[in-house]
Amino acid sequence: MTTAANPRIGTISQFDGQTITLNGWVFNKRSSGKIKFLMLRDGSGIIQGVLVKGECNDAAFEGFDALTQESSVVVTGKVRAEPRSKIGYELTVLDVKPVQIADAYPISPKDHGVEFLMENRHLWIRSQRQWAALRVRSEIFFAIQDFFRTRGFIRFDPPILSATSCEGTSTLFQTPYFDEKAFLTQSGQLYGEAGAFAFGNIYTFGPTFRAEKSKTRKHLTEFWMVEPEMAFAKLNDVMDLGEAFVCHIVKHCLDHCQKELVILERNQKELETIVAPFPRITYDEALKILEKRGHAIPWGEDFGAPHETALGEEFGKPVFIHHFPSSIKAFYFKNADDPNGEGVDHDGKYALGADLIAPFGYGEIIGGGQREDKVDVLERRIKEHGLNLKDYQWYLDLRRFGSAPHAGFGLGVERTVAWVTGVEHVRETIPFPRMINTIRP
Amino acid sequence: MTTAANPRIGTISQFDGQTITLNGWVFNKRSSGKIKFLMLRDGSGIIQGVLVKGECNDAAFEGFDALTQESSVVVTGKVRAEPRSKIGYELTVLDVKPVQIADAYPISPKDHGVEFLMENRHLWIRSQRQWAALRVRSEIFFAIQDFFRTRGFIRFDPPILSATSCEGTSTLFQTPYFDEKAFLTQSGQLYGEAGAFAFGNIYTFGPTFRAEKSKTRKHLTEFWMVEPEMAFAKLNDVMDLGEAFVCHIVKHCLDHCQKELVILERNQKELETIVAPFPRITYDEALKILEKRGHAIPWGEDFGAPHETALGEEFGKPVFIHHFPSSIKAFYFKNADDPNGEGVDHDGKYALGADLIAPFGYGEIIGGGQREDKVDVLERRIKEHGLNLKDYQWYLDLRRFGSAPHAGFGLGVERTVAWVTGVEHVRETIPFPRMINTIRP
């Protein structure tokens, strides 16, 4: 078993001067007369192995030519500090035992079309950029859990299958469920609210689904969301928490994903500027900025990709937009009468929502706000939105039995990974992306 | 916002002697002449507040009688060490401001039927035992991620929706997916294998689905699984890793969930005995034990609940059973000819599988083993199992391009939480359980 104690390339400095055995795959190779070079990858990194005739086992030296790209091998060698190496070490190879000689590997350094790479996603993930992006993803998952646990938030997993929908029914996947039908969740928020009243502060963290036909670089049909929900909290608490959360994620990646960000050629200087405070502007103020930048929209319309990009450009760092027209927000938002208002117990013109727009066109990465906490107002909204009141009785109960101001948000994990890693399309931020035309492999 | 710095009951010792404000709910209350007692819960714990006439604000003292169970309140008081308190502290209440006076709360200390409690799951989670079990769940989620990250495993999220099934098609949920159909995953293993060949060691961690009609205390239709997969690993590595993993989870809960385990009346002495090594016996040896204990089954039959319980009783701690008849294991297992064999490249009588049976009737919590790594053998197996070869070409590719021995397992999270907390039924180990007749709330 490859445990922390076993030699791996990712922790090779621990084995300086030692003769070790590495299990891995042939990433690349070249010959130069009596010296042969083997680029070995083991999943934790890549190291250059040097085979010198006489020094290396004869059979291994002769067998070198038969090793194809991605062949699996067991390599024994001596770890040697090498300043010219990217990782600071090389391996003086003593022996190479092939495990399986790979068939002709379909992915070469030449440019392949995206369609071909997506069909070979199970192999593409071995390529450097994909490998690096998914390792950053793994670290971001850790950073998320770490952030909330440290702050006393309880992880609260909402159901994936449910008879109730969260945000309207037009983009729902559904499955027969014994004698009934069930929807795949679009958001765990409604359940998270129940959790907040039981645990104070919770976060949900799981896959969510949207049967959207959008073919953009920001849309997946299956994506992970993390959704904190806080009892006794208001709109400003959403922005405070979201700001601290995003800064924590970026800092964690800068601290723990150095080699991955280098492979991805991510501008780290840019990431270093992502520190609190983030600008906070109202929707009304955003409209003025958009007008100034030549992207005017009428009051009451939602932002599209060009508007989000323009707002990102204006500030060069994540920006919160709050106090949206209530007409473009879901039924559960608490409303206010004025664009800086604190909430009213009737239908105001503004929803106490706050979205965080990432810079550089990565779009909305946080959407959240304060929830309506009055049972009569909420009941009326549910009816007005044409939803079935019976399905929401349990949700209304949360306002009947110890209601309180409460608020929360959802952060889209893949968009966040895309922004932090700088990859162009969210399909490269999840092992096996699901999109309108992509359900295999 | 309630951050770590804000006063919460769970960290009340930090505020000894201070006057603080707590947001919470009325858990219980009683009067005794000029003294009134308020049991306040805030989601992180319960504290007794003492209202003494003259000391407490008059309006609050007079308003006490109107406070119903689960009413939301803002309480100001002075934290005072109190040896008779379970948490070591009481609150001398100076003021109570009601936020919402709750309607008559449907859950009382008297016994309710399970059906009623499940219908009110959104409120039931506020009850002490449910609250405690779900907090342990949250800590176990942390322990899982912590265990694998520390050992260099990359988190690798497999898709939920897929055109390919993992373990046969009889218990699959399915949804229309634009012009196709998609299944809900039963296991992320096949995808995890692709991840192991890219990252060396990975783990998947997400919800999985089985449309099983089983109505037992161990079955949910939607449950979380964690599935590590290791390249260059064999059957024994599965048992080594599984053993270390389960010990880590139990120890983490003993270290971090003291108050929850006390509420759950869990026998902690019993949990303290869960240390390595766990017994490891072959299926053939297990049959002899079952015969001795009056639960004989013929060779080639799988264990049922009574057999798992009997095996748990024999050892009183988790026990690995390995080398199962290949006929009762899935197509992807590597086989062996004899009950202690290391694997052969043809159809042996034994599958290199290893299951971990938890004691006290909690059943199988780990199922895993070594995978077939030869492309021709695997291809034949897929055909023999009546599966569509075309769907598995990507999976066969993993054996064409750098195949290597590899192995892994799946741990059922809810069964593990049930065993650690000692709750009888897995439905109490997840916020909103899904079972054959349960899809609401």
Side-chain angles (χ1 to χ4, degrees), chain B residues 158-173 182-193 204 208-210 225 227 229 329-333 367 371 378 381-382 385-388 391-392 394-395 399 410:
Chain B
I160 306 297
L161 295 174
S162 178
T164 321
S165 76
C166 180
E167 311 219 341
T169 55
S170 60
T171 58
L172 284 169
F173 290 110
F183 300 111
L184 272 67
T185 187
Q186 294 172 301
S187 156
Q189 180 203 315
L190 305 195
Y191 292 100
E193 292 180 47
T204 73
T208 54
F209 303 84
R210 306 264 162 109
M225 270 224 286
E227 300 180 87
E229 189 76 26
K329 288 290 177 187
F331 73 90
Y332 48 71
F333 279 88
R371 325 305 186 184
L378 189 58
R381 290 269 173 72
I382 289 170
H385 278 74
L387 300 166
N388 188 345
D391 287 343
Y392 294 89
W394 70 269
Y395 185 62
R399 280 74 181 170

Side-chain angles (χ1 to χ4, degrees), chain A residues 1-4 8 23-25 41-44 70-74 99-106 120 122-123 125-126 130-131 134-135 137-139 141-142 145 149-163 173-178 180 182 184 191 194-201 205-207 209 211-213 221-222 224 230-232 237 240-241 252 256 391 394 397-405 430-432 434-436 438-441, chain B residues 1-4 8 23-25 41-44 70-74 99-106 120 122-123 125-126 131 134-135 137-139 141-142 145 149-163 173-178 180 182 184 191 194-201 205-207 209 211-213 221-222 224 230-232 237 240-241 252 256 391 394 397-405 430-432 434-436 438-441:
Chain A
M1 189 178 65
T2 315
T3 66
R8 296 197 78 198
N23 300 314
W25 295 268
R41 73 165 187 90
D42 75 345
S44 73
E70 284 300 317
S71 288
S72 42
V73 287
V74 177
V99 177
Q100 191 244 349
I101 299 296
D103 293 359
Y105 194 62
N120 287 286
H122 54 295
L123 303 176
I125 54 176
R126 302 181 188 182
Q130 304 305 310
W131 176 85
L134 293 178
R135 281 175 62 101
R137 176 189 171 93
S138 176
E139 277 302 305
F141 269 67
F142 175 80
Q145 185 149 326
R149 182 167 180 267
T150 302
R151 282 158 184 78
F153 284 62
I154 296 297
R155 180 173 174 137
F156 185 84
D157 302 293
I160 305 296
L161 296 173
S162 176
F173 291 110
Q174 62 175 68
T175 173
Y177 191 85
F178 305 104
E180 296 206 62
L184 271 66
Y191 292 99
F197 284 8
F199 298 94
N201 293 333
F205 190 11
F209 303 84
E212 276 178 308
K213 295 193 173 168
T221 56
E222 178 182 327
W224 283 66
M230 302 173 279
F232 296 95
D237 299 316
D240 290 347
L241 186 74
H252 182 89
H256 296 275
D391 287 344
W394 70 268
D397 273 357
L398 305 177
R399 280 74 179 169
R400 293 180 182 118
F401 305 109
S403 190
I430 186 167
F432 292 90
R434 295 298 181 238
M435 293 168 291
I436 175 165
T438 309
I439 189 71
R440 300 184 175 79
Chain B
M1 188 181 62
T2 315
T3 66
R8 295 197 77 198
N23 300 314
W25 296 267
R41 72 164 187 91
D42 74 346
S44 72
E70 285 302 317
S71 288
S72 41
V73 288
V74 176
V99 178
Q100 191 244 350
I101 298 296
D103 293 0
Y105 194 62
N120 287 287
H122 54 294
L123 303 175
I125 54 176
R126 302 180 187 183
W131 176 87
L134 292 178
R135 281 174 63 98
R137 175 190 172 93
S138 176
E139 277 301 306
F141 269 67
F142 176 80
Q145 186 150 323
R149 182 167 180 268
T150 303
R151 282 159 185 77
F153 284 62
I154 297 297
R155 180 175 174 136
F156 185 84
D157 302 294
I160 306 297
L161 295 174
S162 178
F173 290 110
Q174 63 177 67
T175 174
Y177 191 84
F178 305 104
E180 297 205 61
L184 272 67
Y191 292 100
F197 284 9
F199 298 93
N201 294 330
F205 190 11
F209 303 84
E212 277 178 308
K213 296 194 172 167
T221 56
E222 179 183 325
W224 283 67
M230 303 173 277
F232 297 96
D237 299 316
D240 290 348
L241 186 74
H252 183 89
H256 297 273
D391 287 343
W394 70 269
D397 274 357
L398 305 177
R399 280 74 181 170
R400 293 181 183 117
F401 306 108
S403 189
I430 187 168
F432 291 90
R434 294 301 181 236
M435 293 168 292
I436 177 164
T438 309
I439 189 70
R440 298 184 177 80

Side-chain angles (χ1 to χ4, degrees), chain B residues 52 79 83 101 107 164 201 203 209 228 249 263 311 315-317 319 321 345 388 414 421 436:
Chain B
V52 178
V79 181
I101 298 296
I107 301 177
T164 321
N201 294 330
Y203 69 106
F209 303 84
I249 289 173
I263 290 169
L311 290 167
F315 295 97
K317 67 193 283 189
V319 53
I321 321 286
D345 292 334
N388 188 345
E414 283 75 17
T421 57
I436 177 164

Side-chain angles (χ1 to χ4, degrees), chain B residues 375-429:
Chain B
V375 70
D376 53 338
V377 179
L378 189 58
E379 208 166 66
R380 184 154 44 80
R381 290 269 173 72
I382 289 170
K383 285 186 208 158
E384 283 167 6
H385 278 74
L387 300 166
N388 188 345
L389 204 57
K390 193 162 162 282
D391 287 343
Y392 294 89
Q393 285 307 321
W394 70 269
Y395 185 62
L396 289 160
D397 274 357
L398 305 177
R399 280 74 181 170
R400 293 181 183 117
F401 306 108
S403 189
H406 61 291
F409 66 79
L411 173 130
V413 175
E414 283 75 17
R415 284 188 186 180
T416 304
V417 177
W419 168 54
V420 171
T421 57
V423 308
E424 177 70 11
H425 197 297
V426 286
R427 69 183 161 227
E428 299 184 25
T429 64

Side-chain angles (χ1 to χ4, degrees), chain B residues 59 76 106 140 157 167 203 221 234-235 239 251 285 290 297 319 360-361 365 420 426 437 439:
Chain B
T76 302
I140 285 179
D157 302 294
E167 311 219 341
Y203 69 106
T221 56
K234 297 190 169 181
L235 180 63
M239 294 192 271
K251 179 156 194 325
E285 287 163 345
L290 289 174
I297 53 169
V319 53
F360 313 111
I365 54 171
V420 171
V426 286
N437 293 319
I439 189 70

Side-chain angles (χ1 to χ4, degrees), chain A residues 87-144:
Chain A
I87 64 168
Y89 294 90
E90 278 191 356
L91 200 67
T92 302
V93 176
L94 306 174
D95 198 7
V96 180
K97 288 196 198 315
V99 177
Q100 191 244 349
I101 299 296
D103 293 359
Y105 194 62
I107 302 178
S108 64
K110 81 171 167 75
D111 260 358
H112 296 282
V114 167
E115 198 180 335
F116 175 82
L117 291 169
M118 288 296 296
E119 281 166 14
N120 287 286
R121 183 68 180 161
H122 54 295
L123 303 176
W124 190 24
I125 54 176
R126 302 181 188 182
S127 299
Q128 280 284 279
R129 283 183 59 87
Q130 304 305 310
W131 176 85
L134 293 178
R135 281 175 62 101
V136 175
R137 176 189 171 93
S138 176
E139 277 302 305
I140 286 179
F141 269 67
F142 175 80
I144 289 169

Side-chain angles (χ1 to χ4, degrees), chain B residues 143-375:
Chain B
I144 289 169
Q145 186 150 323
D146 184 43
F147 177 84
F148 287 112
R149 182 167 180 268
T150 303
R151 282 159 185 77
F153 284 62
I154 297 297
R155 180 175 174 136
F156 185 84
D157 302 294
I160 306 297
L161 295 174
S162 178
T164 321
S165 76
C166 180
E167 311 219 341
T169 55
S170 60
T171 58
L172 284 169
F173 290 110
Q174 63 177 67
T175 174
Y177 191 84
F178 305 104
D179 299 331
E180 297 205 61
K181 69 178 175 189
F183 300 111
L184 272 67
T185 187
Q186 294 172 301
S187 156
Q189 180 203 315
L190 305 195
Y191 292 100
E193 292 180 47
F197 284 9
F199 298 93
N201 294 330
I202 63 93
Y203 69 106
T204 73
F205 190 11
T208 54
F209 303 84
R210 306 264 162 109
E212 277 178 308
K213 296 194 172 167
S214 313
K215 278 192 199 179
T216 81
R217 70 187 185 94
K218 291 184 294 195
H219 284 89
L220 298 169
T221 56
E222 179 183 325
F223 58 99
W224 283 67
M225 270 224 286
V226 50
E227 300 180 87
E229 189 76 26
M230 303 173 277
F232 297 96
K234 297 190 169 181
L235 180 63
N236 275 329
D237 299 316
V238 166
M239 294 192 271
D240 290 348
L241 186 74
E243 181 178 273
F245 183 42
V246 167
C247 291
H248 174 82
I249 289 173
V250 171
K251 179 156 194 325
H252 183 89
C253 292
L254 284 168
D255 289 347
H256 297 273
C257 304
Q258 266 304 311
K259 77 179 169 196
E260 289 82 4
L261 295 173
V262 167
I263 290 169
L264 292 159
E265 299 171 281
R266 181 65 170 104
N267 182 342
Q268 294 187 46
K269 285 269 170 292
E270 204 174 276
L271 288 179
E272 284 161 13
T273 68
I274 308 302
V275 288
F278 295 165
R280 301 177 183 190
I281 61 171
T282 64
Y283 171 88
D284 290 358
E285 287 163 345
L287 285 206
K288 282 182 201 142
I289 292 169
L290 289 174
E291 191 176 357
K292 188 185 77 186
R293 298 187 75 99
H295 287 284
I297 53 169
W299 195 93
E301 230 171 68
D302 208 352
F303 304 134
H307 314 110
E308 291 180 350
T309 303
L311 290 167
E313 276 167 11
E314 174 80 12
F315 295 97
K317 67 193 283 189
V319 53
F320 275 111
I321 321 286
H322 58 90
H323 281 85
F324 288 88
S326 48
S327 55
I328 57 171
K329 288 290 177 187
F331 73 90
Y332 48 71
F333 279 88
K334 194 165 184 74
N335 291 338
D337 281 333
D338 69 87
N340 294 294
E342 271 248 299
V344 290
D345 292 334
H346 61 76
D347 289 325
K349 191 178 165 191
Y350 293 90
L352 295 184
D355 290 356
L356 185 69
I357 313 289
F360 313 111
Y362 285 95
E364 180 199 319
I365 54 171
I366 278 181
Q370 188 174 335
R371 325 305 186 184
E372 180 51 61
D373 51 281
K374 291 287 187 292
V375 70

